[in-house]
């Protein structure tokens, strides 16, 4: 299995609070991604990174920001959590020249 | 129209049966295709890539039809452990690697009954 972990694995928070999710990889892969998965929508890309300090928006980036200060870590921040951001969040990694993405175990976030 | 469409199922079939799923994609520039498997409350995992000539991995066969823009997955002699959601994934290349777009279908749920 790819060396990719996410923390926390579960979180309950209140509307209006900031939340940061962490993705950590030990594969030294260049590309990292944050997705959310909701029933009926499948996996939707929030943000991705193609190198340290290089990030770009995905299709559902509103209300989210990311940072990548080291190759191994990709942080996703919900600036002010809303109930619509209740979801399962997956991080994925991909090596240069590869097409396959490998996923972390996911973070279940509940915003009350 | 969604860029990648799958029948959500659920497909409920008896153990030992053969089952097939299709997935259609709308962008003719799509170049790479994959099937992922996702177990309940787990992360998606690569099941197999899909090649133009079709490919087989044990009981699993994947086919690509570029003219009609669909890919298929066939599972023979299904096992209880095949129960999962199967995600169709399409890669649309960009000018450079970081601009390539990876689109996931919503998944087809398969349930194998004893």
């Amino acid at each position: 299995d790819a060396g990719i972990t996410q923390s926390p694995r579960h979180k309950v928070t209140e509307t209006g609070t900031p939340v940061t999710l962490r993705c950590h990889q030990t594969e030294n892969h260049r590309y990292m991604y944050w997705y959310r998965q909701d029933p009926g929508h499948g996996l939707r890309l929030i943000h991705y990174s193609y190198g340290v300090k290089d990030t770009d928006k995905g299709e559902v980036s509103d209300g989210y920001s990311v940072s990548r200060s080291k190759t191994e870590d990709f942080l996703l921040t919900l600036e002010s959590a809303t109930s619509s951001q209740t979801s399962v969040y997956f991080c994925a990694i991909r090596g240069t020249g590869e097409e396959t993405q490998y996923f972390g175990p996911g973070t279940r976030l509940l915003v009350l | 129209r969604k860029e990648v469409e799958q029948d959500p199922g659920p497909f409920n079939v008896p153990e030992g049966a053969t089952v097939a799923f299709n997935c259609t994609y709308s962008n003719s520039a799509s170049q790479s295709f994959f099937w992922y498997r996702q177990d309940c409350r787990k992360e998606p995992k690569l099941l197999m890539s899909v090649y133009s000539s079709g490919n087989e991995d044990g009981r699993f066969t994947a086919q690509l039809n570029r003219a009609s823009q669909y890919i298929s997955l066939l599972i023979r002699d299904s096992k209880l452990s095949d129960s999962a959601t199967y995600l169709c994934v399409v890669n649309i290349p960009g000018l450079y690697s970081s601009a390539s777009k990876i689109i996931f279908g919503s998944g087809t749920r398969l349930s194998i009954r004893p």
Side-chain angles (χ1 to χ4, degrees):
Chain A
D1 286 349
I4 177 169
T5 57
Q6 293 183 232
S7 58
R9 295 292 313 279
H10 303 270
K11 186 166 182 70
V12 180
T13 192
E14 292 188 347
T15 297
T17 60
V19 176
T20 295
L21 308 183
R22 181 183 184 233
C23 177
H24 178 79
Q25 59 144 332
T26 57
E27 306 295 321
N28 201 36
H29 281 348
R30 178 181 177 187
Y31 300 97
M32 298 186 76
Y33 306 81
W34 275 109
Y35 292 91
R36 61 178 288 174
Q37 187 174 39
D38 305 286
H41 289 280
L43 283 155
R44 291 183 292 173
L45 182 65
I46 305 171
H47 281 279
Y48 66 98
S49 169
Y50 46 97
V52 173
K53 298 194 190 314
D54 291 324
T55 65
D56 208 347
K57 295 178 180 180
E59 64 177 298
V60 290
S61 58
D62 287 349
Y64 302 94
S65 63
V66 290
S67 66
R68 191 164 177 205
S69 58
K70 298 185 289 185
T71 298
E72 57 266 35
D73 289 324
F74 192 31
L75 303 180
L76 176 71
T77 297
L78 287 64
E79 312 285 351
S80 176
T82 66
S83 58
S84 64
Q85 293 176 311
T86 291
S87 187
V88 181
Y89 290 86
F90 287 103
C91 176
I93 61 175
R94 177 172 71 90
T96 304
E98 295 181 22
E99 293 179 314
T100 305
Q101 289 188 340
Y102 299 94
F103 286 83
T107 294
R108 294 185 174 274
L109 176 67
L110 174 60
V111 183
L112 299 174
Chain B
R1 183 187 171 189
K2 288 185 179 178
E3 290 188 88
V4 176
E5 295 206 60
Q6 296 183 248
D7 182 340
F11 285 63
N12 190 323
V13 302
E15 203 172 0
T18 295
V19 61
F21 315 130
N22 277 349
C23 163
T24 58
Y25 60 95
S26 60
N27 193 324
S28 58
S30 302
Q31 227 168 54
S32 309
F33 309 88
F34 309 89
W35 284 103
Y36 277 69
R37 171 196 168 122
Q38 186 173 22
D39 293 301
C40 188
R41 302 180 72 84
K42 297 285 189 181
E43 73 272 23
K45 291 188 177 180
L46 178 69
L47 177 66
M48 58 197 303
S49 302
V50 186
Y51 303 121
S52 296
S53 54
N55 48 300
E56 194 173 301
D57 183 1
R59 298 181 293 107
F60 298 83
T61 300
Q63 297 275 357
L64 166 64
N65 185 318
R66 285 191 185 274
S68 300
Q69 296 187 191
Y70 75 84
I71 67 173
S72 63
L73 178 67
L74 180 79
I75 306 175
R76 290 183 301 279
D77 188 24
S78 53
K79 312 290 185 193
L80 295 175
S81 57
D82 294 333
S83 296
T85 297
Y86 291 84
L87 307 177
C88 168
V89 182
V90 171
N91 188 349
I92 304 168
L95 283 177
Y96 40 93
S97 184
S98 62
S100 68
K101 199 172 166 188
I102 301 170
I103 310 293
F104 288 80
S106 300
T108 297
R109 200 149 53 92
L110 174 65
S111 179
I112 308 297
R113 63 179 187 270

